Structures are given as structure tokens and as C-alpha cells.
Amino acid sequence: MSAAPVVVLVGPMGVGKSTVGRLLAERLGVGYRDTDDDIVAEQGRTIAEIFVDEGEPAFRAIEKQAVHRALAEHDGILALGGGAILDAETRESLDGLRVVYLSMDVEEAVKRTGLNAARPLLAVNPRKQWRELMEARRHLYEGIATAVVATDGRTPEEVAQVALDALELKEA
């Protein structure tokens, strides 16, 4: 591997990985990359469209490739899609990297994601589905995290600062 991200951000959809990631990149003077953006650019369609057209397993295979490519190529801040950590090889490839798990509770998640049709995994009963997703994923996020940063009631700037402090990283 020629490069390794300075920080990898993980967490559920709507937690603010993209917003916080851009702030961290700016503060550290490094680039920002989001694997969801990579997938959309490469596939020429939205993640929701891939889910609908091909199903979740096909999307996860595309996502896994995008994550592994980004881990090998990118040396700045990298944000992963909410479900990227479901893959065991992906979790293994994060071993030894600075991984920040951005967490939030269900009420905050509903406020942020609402009934957004672009969130295919939350289409029917968002509160219930979000809780179930988090029950399935929380231990995976926590298992790979170098630091856990709660985002509830915090501005993106505050979350970025807590993450920098937790990782003991200094701004550029």
C-alpha cells in the first residue's frame, strides 16, 4: 500500500461523515474522499438506484471494491458508506488505521435522515429500521474504532474538534 488515510470515518447514514470529513481535511491540510461519491461517479447512478436495480448484495460488492481502492490510493480523510463495515475483509483492512466512529442516537438519526427516499434501507419504518441497523452494526463500528465521537447535539465543527482531540492530531 503506497498510501494510507490519515483518518477513516465510519458510522450510520446521516451521522455527518461527509460534513465532518471535509472539516477535518481542511483543518489538517489534506484531501477528502468519500467512497459513496466514488461509487456514484464510477457507476453513473445513485446508490439508491443501484439498490433498486441490482439489490443490496450487488451494491455491497461494488462498495467493497471502492473502499479497498480508496484505502490503497488516498492519504487524507476518507469517509466510508454506513454499511461498508459489514464486510469482514474491509474491517480487517482498517486494522492499524485511525478510525473514528461517529455515533448518534435514533432521535437524532430521524431528525437528520427523516423519511429520505435516497436512503433505501430506511424506506418503510425509519425509526424501527434504523434501530435494527444499529443493533446489527454498532458492535462492528465499535470493534474497528480508534475513537468514538458522539455527534448528538454537537455542531460539525465541535465533532471535528472532538475527533482531532481524541486522535491527538494537530491542525495544519
Side-chain angles (χ1 to χ4, degrees):
M1 235 185 337
S2 58
V6 175
V7 176
V8 179
L9 297 175
V10 300
M13 59 193 94
V15 76
K17 295 181 297 283
S18 299
T19 304
V20 171
R22 286 185 184 93
L23 286 168
L24 286 172
E26 190 178 298
R27 291 185 183 188
L28 294 171
V30 298
Y32 169 77
R33 184 167 174 176
D34 183 321
T35 58
D36 282 352
D37 293 343
D38 290 355
I39 292 166
V40 170
E42 181 187 289
Q43 297 289 315
R45 54 197 168 140
T46 67
I47 288 169
E49 288 169 331
I50 298 168
F51 262 84
V52 169
D53 295 345
E54 298 183 38
E56 186 174 358
F59 171 75
R60 294 295 172 209
I62 293 166
E63 180 177 54
K64 179 179 177 176
Q65 289 179 326
V67 169
H68 288 269
R69 191 167 44 251
L71 287 171
E73 295 171 357
H74 188 66
D75 60 1
I77 305 299
L78 180 63
L80 303 187
I85 49 79
L86 294 171
D87 181 74
E89 284 179 36
T90 296
R91 292 192 307 275
E92 200 173 290
S93 66
L94 295 171
D95 194 39
L97 299 178
R98 288 187 198 98
V99 178
V100 175
Y101 163 33
L102 298 180
S103 69
M104 65 181 166
D105 70 19
V106 69
E107 294 311 317
E108 188 79 11
V110 169
K111 263 192 278 186
R112 293 185 193 185
T113 60
L115 301 173
N116 190 339
R119 310 258 184 213
L121 292 181
L122 296 182
V124 182
N125 179 342
R127 256 190 188 83
K128 178 177 182 277
Q129 289 179 299
W130 194 86
R131 277 194 188 97
E132 288 172 1
L133 278 176
M134 285 311 298
E135 282 169 22
R137 296 177 180 180
R138 184 175 289 107
H139 71 284
L140 299 175
Y141 290 133
E142 291 171 349
I144 59 168
T146 309
V148 178
V149 178
T151 64
D152 307 271
R154 286 181 167 149
T155 66
E157 291 77 12
E158 289 168 331
V159 172
Q161 190 58 55
V162 172
L164 288 172
D165 292 346
L167 297 172
E168 299 179 357
L169 290 172
K170 302 291 176 237
E171 294 186 39

